[in-house]
Amino acid sequence: MNMPFHPSKWHFEIDNYLNPWLPAAPWKHLPSPIARFVGYRPEHQRPLGNIAMVFWAFIGVFCSLTIIETISRAIPSFEEHGAPIIIGSFGAAAVLEFYAIESPLAQPRNAVLGHIFSSIIGVAISKLFALGPISREMTWVAGSLSCACAVSFMALTGTVHPPAGATALLAVVDKDVARMGWFLLPVILLGCILMQCVALLLNNIQRRFPVYWWTPGEVGRRRQQRDGQSSIDNGSQTEAKFEMTTTHHLEEGKFVAEEAKVVIKRGRVIVPDDMYLSPEEKMFLEELSERL
């Protein structure tokens, strides 16, 4: 007998397809002063009080936005294409990159790719609607569609970055930004790179950034298998500590659902087999398990 059909529980995780082909981060092999400023720590980072966090957030936001604005003004091609001194969504991005630096939404993959994908979607929709005879009257529809498409695409690619939604919207509804067309991409890319450079420098003085570059999950398993390494090497610490329990069983020819629960013990985390956990959630539960 087949299990019940639940479309609402369908789930797509792009990292399941990408991570096996990615190499592991090489940061631990770098000299410690360099490794520190790319976010590598051999031990857990001690938390800071909020006064120190506010101080570094103030310095980081001020420095990053000032650098982006200064360099943008100094590039002749930016002025030729009518680029604004800075794209407004970078103000929101600075909040994540310098205050909420441990959030999955603030990690480099999300911060850079989210903006790039949203820029492409925003410009494409702006160009598409511009082909119509009443394009100006339909700007409000195009802006909503642009933001909705950008959010959906970021969610499916694991690159959700809230300020990037504003980038997709501005690419359509802001006349100065929309006028740049595809030149918006290098403007956004330059801003992302500059902000990440400042974040790597300042956020690693007393804190740690990034928490991860691509994903907290395991990468490179397929390469390890191809190289003939043992199954012990292939398993990550997170997978070794996670166990699945069955929540449905047959009883007199009918499926009976048991009460779902998560059990955390030292070195073990037991979760129901029909419960999805993101890599970030698994990492959080694993840390709780290690504290017991």
Side-chain angles (χ1 to χ4, degrees), residues 217-233:
E218 180 194 10
V219 296
R221 179 191 294 184
R222 186 153 301 178
R223 174 172 295 183
Q224 292 175 2
Q225 292 176 344
R226 188 177 60 216
D227 292 342
Q229 293 187 3
S230 66
S231 60
I232 296 178
D233 291 332

Side-chain angles (χ1 to χ4, degrees), residues 14-114:
I14 194 171
D15 284 352
N16 292 339
Y17 304 94
L18 296 180
N19 287 0
W21 300 99
L22 299 177
W27 314 133
K28 64 181 181 180
H29 303 297
L30 298 177
S32 55
I34 299 176
R36 177 179 181 84
F37 284 96
V38 292
Y40 176 74
R41 299 290 188 279
E43 300 176 353
H44 289 292
Q45 182 76 20
R46 293 182 179 180
L48 288 181
N50 70 324
I51 300 300
M53 291 176 62
V54 169
F55 170 78
W56 285 116
F58 176 87
I59 298 298
V61 171
F62 178 80
C63 291
S64 63
L65 297 183
T66 300
I67 290 173
I68 293 173
E69 291 167 343
T70 302
I71 293 180
S72 296
R73 291 181 61 186
I75 299 178
S77 59
F78 280 32
E79 184 177 355
E80 293 172 3
H81 287 82
I85 188 173
I86 192 171
I87 304 297
S89 55
F90 280 119
V95 177
L96 286 173
E97 297 304 303
F98 296 99
Y99 186 77
I101 65 174
E102 295 181 350
S103 169
L105 307 176
Q107 306 312 306
R109 171 186 179 180
N110 299 66
V112 177
L113 294 183

Side-chain angles (χ1 to χ4, degrees), residues 91-280:
V95 177
L96 286 173
E97 297 304 303
F98 296 99
Y99 186 77
I101 65 174
E102 295 181 350
S103 169
L105 307 176
Q107 306 312 306
R109 171 186 179 180
N110 299 66
V112 177
L113 294 183
H115 273 299
I116 296 300
F117 292 154
S118 296
S119 301
I120 294 173
I121 292 171
V123 174
I125 290 180
S126 178
K127 295 286 188 182
L128 180 64
F129 272 76
L131 299 176
I134 55 173
S135 58
R136 291 185 178 180
E137 290 76 8
M138 298 297 291
T139 300
W140 59 280
V141 177
S144 302
L145 180 62
S146 174
C147 189
C149 290
V151 170
S152 300
F153 190 82
M154 287 189 292
L156 290 174
T157 56
T159 57
V160 174
H161 188 61
T167 300
L169 185 62
L170 291 171
V172 178
V173 302
D174 188 294
K175 293 181 180 179
D176 293 333
V177 178
R179 194 179 298 115
M180 288 191 293
W182 292 111
F183 194 77
L184 175 63
L185 268 65
V187 173
I188 288 292
L189 181 59
L190 176 64
C192 288
I193 293 174
L194 292 174
M195 184 166 287
Q196 289 299 305
C197 289
V198 176
L200 289 173
L201 178 62
L202 297 181
N203 289 346
N204 282 303
I205 295 177
Q206 282 191 300
R207 298 178 290 174
R208 178 192 176 190
F209 179 83
V211 178
Y212 54 84
W213 282 82
W214 180 259
T215 175
E218 180 194 10
V219 296
R221 179 191 294 184
R222 186 153 301 178
R223 174 172 295 183
Q224 292 175 2
Q225 292 176 344
R226 188 177 60 216
D227 292 342
Q229 293 187 3
S230 66
S231 60
I232 296 178
D233 291 332
N234 291 334
S236 69
Q237 292 182 349
T238 301
E239 289 182 332
K241 293 182 179 181
F242 271 79
E243 300 178 15
M244 310 298 291
T245 59
T246 304
T247 56
H248 296 81
H249 67 275
L250 276 173
E251 187 174 305
E252 297 180 355
K254 297 181 179 179
F255 277 102
V256 178
E258 299 179 358
E259 181 183 3
K261 57 184 178 181
V262 177
V263 180
I264 302 177
K265 301 180 180 180
R266 181 171 181 81
R268 292 176 62 196
V269 178
I270 305 173
V271 299
D273 58 357
D274 60 350
M275 179 180 183
Y276 168 75
L277 293 174
S278 67
E280 292 83 4

